[in-house]
Amino acid sequence: MATHDTAVDIRGLRVSFDTDGGTVEAVRGVDLQVAPGEVLAIVGESGSGKTVTSRSILRLLPETATVKGAVLVGGEDVVRLDAARLRQLRGTQAAMIFQEPSTALNPVYTVGWQIAEGLRAHGKYTKKQARERAIDMLRKVGIPEPERRVDDYPHQFSGGQKQRIVIAMALALDASVLIADEPTTALDVTVQAEILDLLRRLRDEYGTAIVLITHNMGVVADLADRVAVMYLGEVVETAPVRELFAAPKHEYTKKLLAAVPRVELVERAAPESAAAEAVVEATGLEIEYPGRLGKKPFRAVHGVDLRIGLGEVVGLVGESGSGKTTIGRAIAGLAPVTGGSLRVLGTEMRGVKEREFRAKRRELGFVFQDPATSFNPLLTIAECVAEPLIVHGLASSAADGRDRVDELLDAVQLGGAYGDRYPHELSGGQRQRASLARALALDPKLLIADEPTSALDVSVQARVLELFEELQERFGFASLFITHDLAVVDRVAHRVVVLHRGEIAEEGPTDRVLGAPQDPYTRRLLASLPVPDPDEQARRREALAALQREAG
Amino acid sequence: MSTETRTPEKAARVRPRWWNRLPVLQQLRQSVGLQRGMLVVGLVITSVFVLVAIFAPFVAPYGYNQLRGPDGLFGAQQPPGPDHLLGTTVGGYDVLSRVIWGAQTALLVILVAIVLSVFIGIALGLLSGYIGGWFDRVTIVIADAIYAFPSLLLAIVAAIVISGGQSSLWGGILAAAISITVVFIPQYLRVVRAEVVRVKSEAFVESARVIGASNRRIMFRHVLRNSTRTLPLVITLNSSEAILTLAGLGFLGFGIEPSAAAEWGYDLNKSLSDVTSGIWWTSIFPGLAIVLVVLGITLVGESLNDLADPRLRARRKPAKTPAQAVAAEKPVAREEMGDVV
Amino acid sequence: MTTVTAPDAPPGATAGIRKARGGGFWRYLLVRFLLIFPTIFILVSLVFFLMRLTGDPITASLGDRLSPEQLAERIHAAGYDRPLFVQYLEYLANVFTGNFGSSISDGRPVTEILLTYGSATLELAIYALIVAFIVGIPLGMVAAYFRDRWGDAALRIFAILCYATPVFFAGLVLKLIFAVWLKALPVAGRASTRTELRLQQLDDPTGIYLIDAIRTGSSSAITDVLTHAVLPALALGLLTAGVFLRLVRTNVIGTLSRDYVDAARSRGVREYRLVRRHALKPALVPIITVIGLQIAMLLGGAVLTETTFEWKGLGFQLAEYLAKRDFVAVQGIVALLAVIVALTNFIVDLIAAILDPRVRY
């Protein structure tokens, strides 16, 4: 079957890892073919084996892995190749792009050196030739002033640029297959759109086959020709992209697609109490981080006016560096307010003393982004959830507050037995629900949720969001919901505030801001968000291109 | 997905038995292959050392300061023979007995030094890391200055202060232990501080702050216990360093007089001139004793170090106890103290 | 996703970044340089107060030989009966001008002792460092590459043995084997008496015997000096080599598991090159920092090595003064070593900073 029109042919691939607990099968009999110039997306959630499958194309697996089956790349079986031939094949036949561009580049060598190194590993290049080719590659992937920047170190580039450089490295050796493992996950949505464009161009101009590993169905719809859905180490469905989105066959695929948040523009009116009373009121809010050793302080937030009414959910949206997390932290008293005014639950936060604010903390809950670190690993879940009760004197010990804790855990659909477990024994989604339980323990008026779902898989995210909505309706707390994902905000917020570089770009009712954005930045942000529908996404791509031409 | 839907009724959990949660035993269970081999060898040597030290009076054929037996004086520099399995020293002591009694002295010094430095070091590290600011900066500059200084020289200076140079058993032990403590405090301080700074910025501590917990509660309930996981490691490493420092002090003549206790370094110093005349037994045996004990303790420490660091651990098991879950993250402290061997 | 990091720099802002980087580097150097002073100050003060806690040095040194009246007179003459704080200020002022005091037993200024014997210690330290580098760094890389296999285990045991053996014991064993039993190498000293006399005839000798021997042009002198150096260099060098081996191994294992090593592997870079280039250089920064701290340990070890081999350097002198209870000399030498340690650490940090393009303070 290894004809000339398959770039990669995976047959009966099984990968297992030796662990102390026995052998764990990560990939269980996978068959996949990729044609030249085709983009095959492998989707699945964490633990589905998609990354292991893609890495076995280059046999980049740890020593504890046992590989069975065949992986044909350019007609050669990678599984059985000897080390020398395998090395020759790496880079020239197939190249790889990594999830985190900042760790895929060696920090102590210039980018030019690193590109040249790959070249010189595979052929005779003089220093000068290698450098010229490196400059050439950097230009091709859209790095401005490549002649000068070829001598820069990785830390001198932005995240998106670093990913371009990683792509340039893969490109430099004319690899016919590109393996892209979550290439845009670590990037902002506007940067993501640019990288996806670059990958598309590579495919079109060089006929490179791309194996795209992602969990983001929007990215799939944007770039893929064909999709393989993986679940628990097996491919459960393979279909052309349109077919898959239009008529998913496998149960799991259906569930996966249903869980993907979409911008649906549901009108959601804030409760009447919101206009009457404000729990948070910021005017001209400024937050600066002091610079180290005489450097200029870094201004994270400037001149922000923000109001959260009683019982109102405000979505705070922005990319990394927009200041959204900083605002959330300032409201919780974790970051000092350096200018303007911020009133939280009636207390002025500028220059506030912790002692004055401590009593108000009863009315404030916080859900952190990373479920892995938000619980003390040495306390059980019940003890963690009981902490607020003990601190505010509602319970003398964890055992004393257990009834209330069980009640709370029930409310977030974690049966009481979970309370006796330690945090590491829970999955990410369960921990995030427990985190909600802890935040709600004192029945707060205000809940700050800082990217509560961004570390979770799609289906788990859907469940947590659902729970959030339900709890909000039941308890009626006001909330500041911080996220980078417009689709998530559409799901939960009454009102949306879009932040851009520390300033408010646009704000208004959710359906208005997402449906008819006025500010150019909001429009770009919205247009960059890939939607899980290939045809719709193609149209949006055109629209984004037009928007960018307009902006010059 | 699958984890989400896992049946809640199976949530009832079995707590691992308490002995499996003890610091060293837990790592022993966690280890595999060569790593386990090294750990086991280290533990065996270390336990033999501890047992010999405790039971020295019963194990040793003679007293540490005994010069004569029933048949009169032992005689100086007698080669190994039936009466004196390892020979006698230039001063006329039985080498084997001195080696065995030396274990006791070494163990006492380690215990005193570690008890002193662990408490002071943890307290300072916790305060320095948690409070931060100027207190932190000043403490760190002082600690770094001491840390960068040759520990033996500092120990010499401290020994002069404490004992004026010559001493009795407890005077000598305290002198050695305190001088070692002075050198160690900065290490504990740095290790604990690095961990505290890391833990302090973790979400669960911020969450305690948002809840409104007092600083004391945060420090003791959330930060402290999560910051001490590298301590078993540092303790083993410092134990071996304590033995070497004690021996070094003894070698330079700051040890304990032979009439007060047996000390390996002192014996080595006295055997310096024997070597030139080819008398080997007076130096080889106390020297080997030092090497073996340090080797044993270091093996334990190295293995703990590897097991505590996911990058170095041979294979990884899913965490079974909360302490293992803590250990599964990479400790900052390891980088802080890259050189403690 | 945190907002603490600065926003991604737009392409046009790179000039600014470059500038900031240059500034960061010089600022870092300046801060490091300024840190030398408090470090020296702290150490010198610590040594001063610790030494004075025991009482005055004259009693310590001559207490059993002089009558109380004579002692009191000597103490008064030396100014040790003044308030401690006054003495401390005077001492600081002296140290500031490079005066570390004079020994009681023979009245020599400490700085002169340093000049006379420092070169011997420097020579020994350099030999030992060469041994440590040659043995420790390549073996560390080998151990990292073969991690958790037998070769690695053997190398690690070797490293631990190197570290577990006190230098003076290693010295004794080496002496016993090579000098006493095999008679292949000299027992002690820096050179034979004949060579020493010859070296002293040179005008303006450097005190570093190897250089001096080369200057005499006599091959027998060079051989003599080198054979004397073998055992002390090995004893002290292997101790440090053990530390280096372990350090290189740990750090290279750490960097070998980084994404960029995998990335380079995916481009077909050779395994040897992965270890040699991609893993070692990023690992070098922490390694070099720690090597700086090891220099302090090397100095401590030098005291013991010199005593074992009668290598007449600073450490040997220090041990002599210790035996004589001449604590002024001890205090002076220790304080001076503190200055040297602070300076070396600065130089080491400087090298580390040059190696690491990301350096920022």
Side-chain angles (χ1 to χ4, degrees), chain A residues 203 325 347 351:
Chain A
R203 194 267 310 265
T325 298
T347 308

Side-chain angles (χ1 to χ4, degrees), chain A residues 55 87 90-91 98 103-104 106-107 109 117 122 144 148-149 152-153 155 169 293 323-326 451, chain C residues 1 3 8-9 11 14 18 27 259-260 262-263 265-270 273 277-278 281-282 357-358 361:
Chain A
R55 294 193 127 208
R87 186 188 71 72
R90 283 175 178 166
F98 295 81
T103 61
N106 195 326
Y109 294 107
E117 190 198 27
H122 292 290
R148 189 171 65 72
R149 307 231 50 198
D152 279 352
Y153 288 94
H155 73 269
M169 286 180 177
L293 288 156
K324 59 187 190 302
T325 298
T326 309
E451 301 259 16
Chain C
M1 225 51 67
T3 25
D8 276 351
T14 48
R18 292 202 141 198
R27 192 195 311 270
D259 276 358
Y260 52 74
D262 250 359
R265 186 176 282 132
S266 80
R267 294 197 292 276
V269 176
R270 280 166 222 277
R273 208 178 150 82
R277 288 290 204 146
H278 281 271
K281 198 175 167 191
R358 295 160 298 177
Y361 195 70

Side-chain angles (χ1 to χ4, degrees), chain A residues 130-333:
Chain A
R131 188 184 153 88
E132 306 243 294
R133 180 127 175 98
I135 293 174
D136 204 31
M137 285 301 129
L138 290 179
R139 185 177 298 118
K140 279 203 174 117
V141 296
I143 301 287
E145 299 180 77
E147 292 83 0
R148 189 171 65 72
R149 307 231 50 198
V150 71
D151 294 322
D152 279 352
Y153 288 94
H155 73 269
Q156 291 166 287
F157 293 88
S158 71
Q161 285 177 324
K162 277 185 217 157
Q163 195 60 295
R164 284 170 191 268
I165 292 164
V166 175
I167 294 174
M169 286 180 177
L171 203 62
L173 293 162
D174 288 326
S176 45
V177 182
L178 208 55
I179 301 149
D181 185 359
E182 304 267 8
T184 58
T185 307
L187 304 174
D188 277 329
V189 59
T190 46
V191 182
Q192 163 171 294
E194 292 167 17
I195 296 292
L196 291 176
D197 271 339
L198 177 62
L199 288 174
R200 195 175 2 261
R201 232 180 61 215
L202 291 186
R203 194 267 310 265
D204 295 346
E205 286 176 24
Y206 302 90
T208 317
I210 298 176
V211 180
L212 175 74
I213 291 86
T214 183
H215 68 276
N216 187 331
M217 296 310 277
V219 170
V220 174
D222 186 60
L223 191 60
D225 299 316
R226 214 150 52 84
V227 187
V229 182
M230 283 191 75
Y231 180 62
L232 294 180
E234 286 171 46
V235 174
V236 295
E237 182 169 2
T238 315
V241 65
R242 284 196 175 73
E243 209 172 288
L244 185 102
F245 279 98
K249 289 195 189 73
H250 194 272
E251 214 34 53
Y252 174 69
T253 317
K254 286 180 194 162
K255 250 164 80 185
L256 192 64
L257 285 174
V260 177
R262 298 155 203 255
V263 179
E264 282 163 341
L265 302 179
V266 189
E267 199 178 329
R268 201 181 268 113
E272 283 165 21
S273 57
E277 192 185 334
V279 283
V280 175
E281 211 160 16
T283 35
L285 177 63
E286 305 258 341
I287 301 169
E288 282 184 349
Y289 287 106
R292 292 197 74 173
L293 288 156
K295 278 189 193 165
K296 264 211 321 225
F298 173 65
R299 187 183 279 190
V301 175
H302 36 133
V304 164
D305 298 331
L306 181 74
R307 181 181 185 280
I308 304 175
L310 191 66
E312 181 187 35
V313 179
V314 174
L316 191 57
V317 188
E319 297 185 294
S320 53
S322 63
K324 59 187 190 302
T325 298
T326 309
I327 292 178
R329 293 173 58 86
I331 293 174

Side-chain angles (χ1 to χ4, degrees), chain B residues 222-240:
Chain B
H222 299 291
V223 177
L224 180 61
R225 279 186 60 211
N226 281 297
S227 309
T228 50
R229 63 194 162 133
T230 35
L231 281 187
L233 158 72
V234 190
I235 286 174
T236 54
L237 298 179
N238 281 349
S239 308
S240 43

Side-chain angles (χ1 to χ4, degrees), chain C:
Chain C
M1 225 51 67
T2 48
T3 25
V4 189
T5 47
D8 276 351
T14 48
I17 290 182
R18 292 202 141 198
K19 228 174 171 177
R21 183 193 158 219
F25 181 74
W26 291 112
R27 192 195 311 270
Y28 171 78
L29 282 196
L30 182 69
V31 170
R32 260 320 270 115
F33 181 72
L34 291 178
L35 259 179
I36 293 178
F37 297 102
T39 306
I40 292 177
F41 171 77
I42 289 165
L43 284 174
V44 164
S45 310
L46 187 75
V47 171
F48 177 87
F49 283 110
L50 280 180
M51 299 293 281
R52 283 308 150 76
L53 281 180
T54 33
D56 70 283
I58 301 216
T59 320
S61 167
L62 308 167
D64 40 0
R65 270 178 280 161
L66 300 180
S67 67
E69 294 78 39
Q70 281 172 306
L71 266 183
E73 195 181 311
R74 292 278 306 256
I75 289 171
H76 183 73
Y80 290 128
D81 53 352
R82 290 174 298 162
L84 194 60
F85 192 67
V86 176
Q87 292 182 47
Y88 173 61
L89 286 183
E90 188 188 71
Y91 175 72
L92 278 188
N94 281 338
V95 165
F96 191 72
T97 54
N99 175 6
F100 285 83
S102 302
S103 83
I104 296 179
S105 47
D106 50 17
R108 295 173 69 183
V110 171
T111 32
E112 192 196 305
I113 299 175
L114 174 83
L115 286 178
T116 323
Y117 297 101
S119 50
T121 303
L122 181 68
E123 193 177 5
L124 176 62
I126 290 173
Y127 291 148
L129 266 184
I130 292 174
V131 171
F133 274 112
I134 292 179
V135 176
I137 292 182
L139 289 186
M141 280 161 60
V142 172
Y145 190 71
F146 293 106
R147 62 176 292 204
D148 294 326
R149 288 186 232 154
W150 283 105
D152 175 35
L155 282 173
R156 295 181 69 189
I157 303 274
F158 168 73
I160 297 177
L161 274 178
C162 283
Y163 166 79
T165 315
V167 249
F168 47 93
F169 181 58
L172 283 175
V173 173
L174 288 172
K175 237 163 120 167
L176 196 62
I177 297 174
F178 293 100
V180 178
W181 289 345
L182 298 178
K183 300 206 177 351
L185 292 166
V187 178
R190 295 179 65 197
S192 63
T193 327
R194 230 185 94 225
T195 317
E196 285 209 328
L197 283 173
R198 236 175 120 171
L199 294 183
Q200 273 160 21
Q201 280 159 10
L202 284 172
D203 19 295
D204 159 45
T206 55
I208 294 176
Y209 276 16
L210 185 60
I211 295 178
D212 288 346
I214 292 171
R215 276 170 57 197
T216 62
S218 141
S219 61
S220 70
I222 298 176
T223 326
D224 187 56
V225 167
L226 283 179
T227 48
H228 276 85
V230 173
L231 293 184
L234 272 183
L236 187 54
L238 284 182
L239 167 78
T240 319
V243 180
F244 284 9
L245 196 162
R246 177 188 175 277
L247 190 66
V248 171
R249 177 186 178 273
T250 315
N251 281 293
V252 169
I253 285 181
T255 43
L256 269 179
S257 66
R258 292 287 167 85
D259 276 358
Y260 52 74
V261 173
D262 250 359
R265 186 176 282 132
S266 80
R267 294 197 292 276
V269 176
R270 280 166 222 277
E271 290 292 315
Y272 167 76
R273 208 178 150 82
L274 290 180
V275 179
R276 177 75 189 69
R277 288 290 204 146
H278 281 271
L280 185 64
K281 198 175 167 191
L284 270 184
V285 177
I287 289 174
I288 284 183
T289 317
V290 177
I291 283 178
L293 293 172
Q294 287 309 311
I295 288 174
M297 194 179 114
L298 201 73
L299 279 177
V303 177
L304 299 168
T305 318
E306 290 178 7
T307 316
T308 317
F309 287 98
E310 287 163 51
W311 184 278
K312 301 229 164 56
L314 265 187
F316 184 79
Q317 287 307 311
L318 183 69
E320 298 259 285
Y321 285 123
L322 279 174
K324 288 186 210 155
R325 311 275 165 218
D326 184 342
F327 294 154
V328 176
V330 172
Q331 179 183 333
I333 294 176
V334 171
L336 203 56
L337 288 178
V339 176
I340 294 172
V341 166
L343 288 175
T344 4
N345 277 341
F346 168 68
I347 293 168
V348 165
D349 278 358
L350 186 83
I351 297 171
I354 291 169
L355 272 178
D356 186 356
R358 295 160 298 177
V359 117
R360 286 238 166 59
Y361 195 70

